[in-house]
Amino acid sequence: ILVDGSSYLYRAFHAMPTLSNSRGEPTGAVYGVVNMLRKLIADHPSEHVAVVFDAPGKTFRDDLFAQYKATRASMPEELRAQIEPLHELIRALGIPLLCVPGVEADDVIGTLAKQATQHGMRALISTGDKDMAQLVNEQVTLVNTMTNLYIDTQGVIDKFGVRAEQIVDYLTLIGDTSDNIPGVPSVGPKTAAKWLQSYGTLAALVAHADEIKGKVGDSLRASLGQLPLSHQLATIQCEVPLDRRVEDLRITAPDAEKLKTLYQRLEFKTWLSELLGRDNATTETQVTPPAPKHDANYQTILTTEQLDHWLDKLQRAELFAFDTETTGLDYMQAEIVGVSFAVQAHEAAYVPLAHDYLGAPAQLSRSAVLERLRPLLEDPHKIKIGQNAKFDMSVLANYNITLRGVDFDTMLESYVLNSVGSRHDMDTLALKHLGHKTISFEDVAGKGAKQITFNQVAVETASNYAAEDADITLRLHQTLWPLLAQEEKLKSLFEHIEIPLVPVLSHIERTGVLVDALMLARQSTELAQRMNELEHEAYRLAGEEFNLGSPKQIQEILYHKLKLPILEKTPTGQPSTAESVLQELAADYQLPQCILNHRGMSKLKSTYTDRLPEQINPRTGRVHTSYQQAVASTGRLSSTEPNLQNIPIRTEEGRRIRQAFIAPPGYKIVAADYSQIELRILAHLSGDAGLMRAFAEGADVHRATAAEVFGVALEQVSNDQRRNAKAINFGLIYGMSAFGLARQLGIERGVAQEYIDLYFARYPGVKLFMDSTRASARQLGHVETVFGRRLYLPDIKASNAQRRQYAERTAINAPMQGTAADIIKRAMIAAHAWLQQSRIDARMIMQVHDELVFEVHETILDQTVADIRNHMSCAADLAVPLIVDIGVGNNWDEAH
């Protein structure tokens, strides 16, 4: 197997999506090449393999022809940076790699192919380069792994119309634009093949050049002087002196330690896991206990004496890692099955408390152990480390234990270090930072329908799993915290925003929100009726019945039957039925709008009106979401099970769902929303005098922008002008181009560009801020929020214009969106502290983007609303006022 590594490298670079590790180093081409190599070797097992790359520097062809490859663009820097790690990785895999100065990879492959032929060996050359067809013979075949196309001697004839031995003559005639090899002007593949079929060789053609008629004959005769050079440049040299012969090129055993180091550095987690993998075979009911790794000392606590010993260790420890094992992931209903802790690396203990399978060993009393742990767990001065400690905090609250002193959370340490493009779960972090494959839950509990709950897992098996959780949490902290502590802004962000927010979120989640199930049931019935009406309307517009949930049938109706314009295609070349495409079509056609309306109602019904009643907790009568703190790259919180942040507010149906979020008797819903917070942050960051003046004076900023952009008095601004100014204000925050603005406003692109130019002329500080932010992002590879949160931009220097421009847009928006996320988090922390200290009859029940929602007793409404406004307004000290809009009502919709 002879692999054209240089061909693989470029193909992988252009085919793979942008990938980078947490340090911002590009890794996509490395991953793509190795992935192709792994597949090639798996599909074509052979002990003789070589991967050949072009060596840096000039080759003999440059000496022959100074303009050789002169038209090629220089190698992109993000590709050049991946060559060395790629070479290291291939060698660590035990695959021979050749890189010979003075010649090209083609010449080395040609030499090895010739040697293989002489030794009676068959050779498979993996490449996408047509020049290699000249090497094909009865023993040498080409394969293009991108297209899975094999080319043998007949395949060369089928593809090029000439035999393999005629390929160099063929290439000489047609030339090669990528290598800048001159051919005969006006001669293409068909003409070259026809000539060679008639004359056999280039030499014979040249001898009969006067027989070729017409302009093409004139071109041939005019090119006779340069054909020998082109022929020499196109010929692959098959006698290159090599320090290794083909029979010496054998795959050897991989260097596991080197691979582990490289996989960790490049953050190829799947391959690292595979390298460190273990047999996960399960039995019908139970699994073989995975043994602890690295000679870890894991203990199972079954006696009071053992517990006493560990409680003493915990009491004396400066800090310790703590974890709970439970019957499930619903923090409101999960029961504690056991607890684990670690005080130093590779040493941990598990206390089983509620394993109740047949034959389970006697265990200590859960209530007694938790009571003995209570003083430690509730002591704010006893420092604990968790991994997603919010879950443990919420589960312990089911046992009336308030977990305090969680100063560190490894999930959040990782998230604050780099929030972009990476997961922060323990398994991923252990692989990435420790090179350790953890025991997975499936390892101990089985998979799918046969999976058991943790209380049914054998104590010995559970102990290794649970003790490892605590051990790894401690070791991750010992790895991550030094990295975080050396960055003062990130350390401050962690200590003053992310960690203090953990108990706040736990409290909000456990409080929950009251939902009217009967109202939602009525809405489900009405939505079903309206969807039925829309279906029949769609059938009428289409002229036939079809499945409105089937993209294929929608595609058939819209594009084949009704002949609507195709605005976009899917990656497979089919006309797109994506929502953005249908929205564009809906401006001119009824059926796409009808389909969109049906889709929207179907989503509301399945996600909310049908599902929310099922998610009401039977004990509290409320819905309890989970706020995900380490998901969004900008620092925003996300909400799951159920997602309360995606209920639409602009549609009648969405607002009706919000009406089902109600206040209990004697209370009101109070919704407090930051007004135009991202525009205010833009004013603060840019320091633009005009924008700051508009906010300082309390003006309608969209009307003020319209007055500036359109050059009219404030009182003369029309509604259309204000609407356009609003689109400009918000569009520029999100990096909208003139094309995007034109499409949104339904105006000509030139007019949209004029609007943008006028905006920047009136607000020069904004233009300066955006330009300097892009420049800084290119230099540093990241941008920051006001509070120091970093948002890394791995594509900011990408050669691919689309990816680079997206990164530039993100560079502008991320500081504003991220700062807004930081501000609302600070507001939540302040509001929670005030509510806890004042002990008033009010509670925070939801966070939705820039909005906080409270339940407040009717008797204290006025003062509480004033206090909420004060705490939210003071959450950040910006150069412009932070304004909070507050509404009050019996339900969430009324409060807007």
Side-chain angles (χ1 to χ4, degrees), residues 188 202 231 261 302 378 385 413 449 605 641 770 772:
L202 179 63
H231 192 274
T261 301
L302 293 169
E378 294 192 337
I385 309 162
E413 288 173 17
K605 186 175 185 296
E641 296 298 319
M770 290 183 172
S772 63

Side-chain angles (χ1 to χ4, degrees), residues 481-711:
W481 182 248
L483 300 175
L484 200 55
Q486 68 188 11
E487 300 283 351
E488 192 52 46
K489 286 182 179 179
L490 296 181
K491 181 172 177 280
S492 176
L493 181 78
F494 179 85
E495 292 178 330
H496 297 115
I497 296 182
E498 295 300 348
I499 277 292
L501 188 65
V502 173
V504 179
L505 293 177
S506 174
H507 193 272
I508 294 172
E509 290 174 355
R510 287 183 52 75
T511 300
V513 59
L514 195 61
V515 171
D516 187 334
L518 290 176
M519 182 184 293
L520 288 170
R522 287 196 298 273
Q523 290 179 13
S524 266
T525 302
E526 291 165 9
L527 281 171
Q529 183 178 341
R530 179 69 184 124
M531 285 167 61
N532 187 53
E533 292 170 0
L534 285 169
E535 282 180 13
H536 284 86
E537 175 66 7
Y539 299 160
R540 184 187 68 78
L541 292 168
E544 64 177 273
E545 291 190 10
F546 65 101
N547 182 358
L548 272 70
S550 166
K552 187 174 182 181
Q553 291 187 34
I554 291 173
Q555 188 184 95
E556 182 67 31
I557 293 290
L558 295 183
Y559 301 114
H560 297 291
K561 181 175 181 180
L562 300 182
K563 307 296 184 187
L564 268 57
I566 297 170
L567 305 179
E568 279 184 31
K569 290 189 176 182
T570 67
T572 60
Q574 298 299 309
S576 174
T577 59
E579 186 166 338
S580 58
V581 174
L582 294 185
Q583 283 173 344
E584 204 167 335
L585 289 171
D588 300 303
Y589 303 96
Q590 286 183 280
L591 183 54
Q593 185 60 63
C594 188
I595 293 169
L596 283 172
N597 292 341
H598 186 275
R599 276 187 187 177
M601 291 184 187
S602 176
K603 185 174 181 181
L604 288 177
K605 186 175 185 296
S606 61
T607 308
Y608 296 110
T609 61
D610 288 350
R611 182 85 176 99
L612 277 174
E614 298 170 358
Q615 295 173 298
I616 294 173
N617 183 282
R619 181 167 54 84
T620 65
R622 289 173 172 250
V623 167
H624 302 267
T625 188
S626 290
Y627 289 102
Q628 306 300 322
Q629 203 173 342
V631 173
S633 61
T634 57
R636 280 190 179 273
L637 297 170
S638 60
S639 163
T640 58
E641 296 298 319
N643 181 354
L644 301 182
Q645 296 184 329
N646 274 8
I647 303 173
I649 194 171
R650 290 185 176 85
T651 66
E652 181 186 347
E653 291 80 15
R655 289 192 295 272
R656 291 194 65 208
I657 290 172
R658 287 171 176 245
Q659 290 169 15
F661 288 70
I662 58 174
Y667 293 79
K668 294 290 184 183
I669 296 291
V670 174
D673 196 355
Y674 282 115
S675 170
Q676 298 172 341
I677 187 167
E678 290 186 14
L679 283 174
R680 292 173 189 275
I681 293 166
L682 175 61
H684 172 85
L685 291 171
S686 68
D688 183 88
L691 208 51
M692 288 186 25
R693 183 173 59 251
F695 282 121
E697 294 172 355
D700 176 339
V701 72
H702 301 314
R703 194 167 292 278
T705 296
E708 292 283 355
V709 169
F710 301 115

Side-chain angles (χ1 to χ4, degrees), residues 53-266:
F53 287 91
D54 288 325
K58 291 186 175 183
T59 71
F60 73 93
R61 290 183 179 85
D62 296 290
D63 295 332
L64 289 171
F65 182 46
Q67 296 303 306
Y68 182 66
K69 293 190 177 181
T71 54
R72 283 197 184 183
S74 59
M75 180 181 287
E77 191 52 46
E78 63 264 39
L79 178 56
R80 189 183 305 279
Q82 298 182 69
I83 292 174
E84 183 181 342
L86 174 59
H87 288 189
E88 283 188 72
L89 190 46
I90 291 171
R91 290 188 176 106
L93 286 165
I95 302 172
L97 183 147
L98 285 82
C99 200
V100 181
V103 295
E104 295 181 50
D106 294 14
D107 302 309
V108 178
I109 289 172
T111 300
L112 292 171
K114 183 177 180 180
Q115 288 183 17
T117 301
Q118 290 169 345
H119 282 73
M121 300 167 66
R122 296 186 61 80
L124 182 68
I125 300 174
S126 183
T127 183
D129 189 347
K130 66 179 182 300
D131 298 3
M132 295 277 199
Q134 63 188 274
L135 301 176
V136 171
N137 58 39
E138 293 301 324
Q139 291 171 250
V140 178
T141 305
L142 305 185
V143 60
N144 185 331
T145 53
M146 295 288 280
T147 59
N148 208 31
L149 176 67
Y150 290 82
I151 300 179
D152 55 13
T153 52
Q154 183 58 46
V156 174
I157 296 170
D158 294 341
K159 183 173 178 63
F160 300 101
V162 297
R163 300 184 307 279
E165 57 269 27
Q166 295 175 302
I167 285 291
V168 177
D169 292 350
Y170 170 85
L171 294 172
T172 302
L173 289 168
I174 65 172
D176 190 329
T177 53
S178 65
D179 288 347
N180 200 35
I181 297 176
V184 177
S186 304
V187 172
K190 288 184 179 178
T191 301
K194 184 179 72 172
W195 284 349
L196 291 171
Q197 288 163 10
S198 299
Y199 293 96
T201 66
L202 179 63
L205 173 65
V206 169
H208 295 84
D210 57 343
E211 298 175 6
I212 307 298
K213 306 300 183 186
K215 289 186 178 180
V216 71
D218 295 338
S219 290
L220 172 61
R221 288 182 286 276
S223 304
L224 293 178
Q226 54 85 21
L227 287 180
L229 173 62
S230 294
H231 192 274
Q232 196 173 0
L233 293 171
T235 302
I236 293 175
Q237 300 301 308
C238 295
E239 300 290 346
V240 175
L242 301 176
D243 57 6
R244 283 187 285 181
R245 298 189 62 77
V246 71
E247 62 267 28
D248 302 323
L249 300 171
R250 297 172 183 267
I251 291 184
T252 58
D255 183 337
E257 282 305 311
K258 182 70 172 173
L259 277 180
K260 178 181 169 183
T261 301
L262 287 166
Y263 286 161
Q264 281 184 263
R265 172 190 159 190
L266 298 167

